[in-house]
Amino acid sequence: MMKELNLIYFSPTGSTNRVVNEIAKGISSTTINEIDITYTGVSKSITGTIIIGSPVYEGRLPKVFKERLSHLDLTDANCILVVVYGNRAYENSLKELKELVESKGATVWGAGAFIGEHSLSSKEKPIAEARPDKKDLSIAFDFGKRIQAINITKLKTIEIPGQYPLPESKPKPDVIIKTDENKCIKCDKCIDACPVGAIPKDNPLVTNGTLCLRCCACIKVCPVDARELNDPLSLNIAKRVFENCQQRKEPEIFI
């Protein structure tokens, strides 16, 4: 059993949080410190064993996640990396995360790509609905058990698929989220759920489409279904992923 375990995660809709915590259960520790960087950054030095988790958007890590991670000093830390994607592809995201934490002085002990309900999943077009499910979480727990059993004297460099450095992301049009004024009850749950402050505190009917990550946390948390994506790019992505990514994918583990 490890004496202390640190969890660092960015998880607007909770999927990454669930996977990271299940891995932590498998590792087993007397003390678990959770550092949630979904809504704010943290500037500090962290050593020991760390599980770092992020969702994947269009095959990449969210820019805001990388910015918030940049304020952490991970020198001499031992990291387990986690990305959670919506049953399409995690592409270069896990490689990107490995390179990022290693550039900050950390050693990578293990990594995993897990599946969560797609951010654009809806009642009409469900994509990886209700994942991570019981099977996914069981794999996460077993992953933690394997990490616990690592013999550090035989530790080898982990090879993770993907390319790095990555090409520059192309500019994308602003996201448009439409809010039905007749439905909205001004409960402010969408404001609290947004990880980048794209919804003004004094007006939940408005969304800053430039800031918006397309994580859809605000849509999923709305108790009256008053919010919906309404821009052509988002609607096209949702349609394509729904039509082409229904075959179940399973987590991939690298130790």
Side-chain angles (χ1 to χ4, degrees):
M1 177 182 289
M2 292 184 182
K3 291 184 178 180
E4 187 173 28
L5 181 62
N6 298 285
L7 315 183
I8 302 173
Y9 53 82
F10 180 85
S11 186
T13 58
S15 297
T16 302
N17 183 345
R18 291 175 65 200
V19 172
V20 165
N21 270 278
E22 201 64 28
I23 295 170
K25 290 178 186 177
I27 293 176
S28 185
S29 174
T30 54
T31 303
I32 295 179
N33 304 312
E34 293 195 43
I35 302 172
D36 184 352
I37 59 173
T38 307
Y39 305 104
T40 185
V42 178
S43 180
K44 63 188 300 185
S45 176
I46 305 177
T47 57
T49 303
I50 309 172
I51 305 175
I52 303 178
S54 171
V56 178
Y57 300 136
E58 298 180 58
R60 300 285 291 267
L61 298 175
K63 182 179 179 181
V64 65
F65 165 75
K66 292 190 291 182
E67 289 173 348
R68 291 174 185 172
L69 203 64
S70 69
H71 298 293
L72 295 171
D73 180 2
L74 304 177
T75 303
D76 298 327
N78 306 311
C79 292
I80 298 95
L81 312 180
V82 177
V83 296
V84 179
Y85 69 103
N87 204 57
R88 186 187 69 81
Y90 61 92
E91 295 185 29
N92 300 305
S93 59
L94 197 55
K95 180 81 167 181
E96 185 179 13
L97 183 53
K98 180 175 182 287
E99 297 291 334
L100 178 60
V101 301
E102 287 182 339
S103 72
K104 299 177 70 62
T107 298
V108 176
W109 280 17
F114 288 80
I115 296 82
E117 182 170 316
H118 199 284
S119 61
L120 303 185
S121 177
S122 64
K123 294 176 183 177
E124 297 76 22
K125 293 182 172 63
I127 309 164
E129 189 175 20
R131 295 187 72 181
D133 56 21
K134 186 176 180 179
K135 182 179 180 182
D136 295 316
L137 296 177
S138 176
I139 293 172
F141 182 85
D142 289 342
F143 177 36
K145 296 287 282 185
R146 292 175 65 187
I147 292 294
Q148 174 73 28
I150 283 178
N151 184 339
I152 61 173
T153 63
K154 296 183 179 180
L155 201 63
K156 296 180 179 180
T157 301
I158 297 173
E159 295 298 328
I160 293 175
Q163 71 175 79
Y164 196 88
L166 302 175
E168 286 293 322
S169 298
K170 296 179 180 178
K172 292 182 175 61
D174 286 359
V175 180
I176 299 174
I177 293 183
K178 179 182 177 182
T179 303
D180 188 331
E181 188 172 0
N182 295 319
K183 285 184 177 181
C184 180
I185 58 174
K186 309 293 192 301
C187 67
D188 293 346
K189 288 185 177 180
C190 58
I191 296 173
D192 295 337
C194 181
V196 292
I199 307 171
K201 293 184 180 299
D202 60 348
N203 189 0
L205 300 177
V206 176
T207 301
N208 185 325
T210 302
L211 290 177
C212 180
L213 296 177
R214 205 183 278 109
C215 72
C216 295
C218 64
I219 294 174
K220 295 179 186 296
V221 79
C222 180
V224 292
D225 296 327
R227 299 174 65 81
E228 64 178 3
L229 282 166
N230 201 39
D231 62 279
L233 177 61
S234 297
L235 296 175
N236 184 47
I237 292 173
K239 180 176 184 295
R240 286 189 287 109
V241 177
F242 171 71
E243 292 175 348
N244 299 309
C245 303
Q246 290 298 327
Q247 184 174 351
R248 180 186 176 96
K249 293 189 176 181
E250 300 296 344
E252 295 181 42
I253 301 298
F254 305 89
I255 295 182

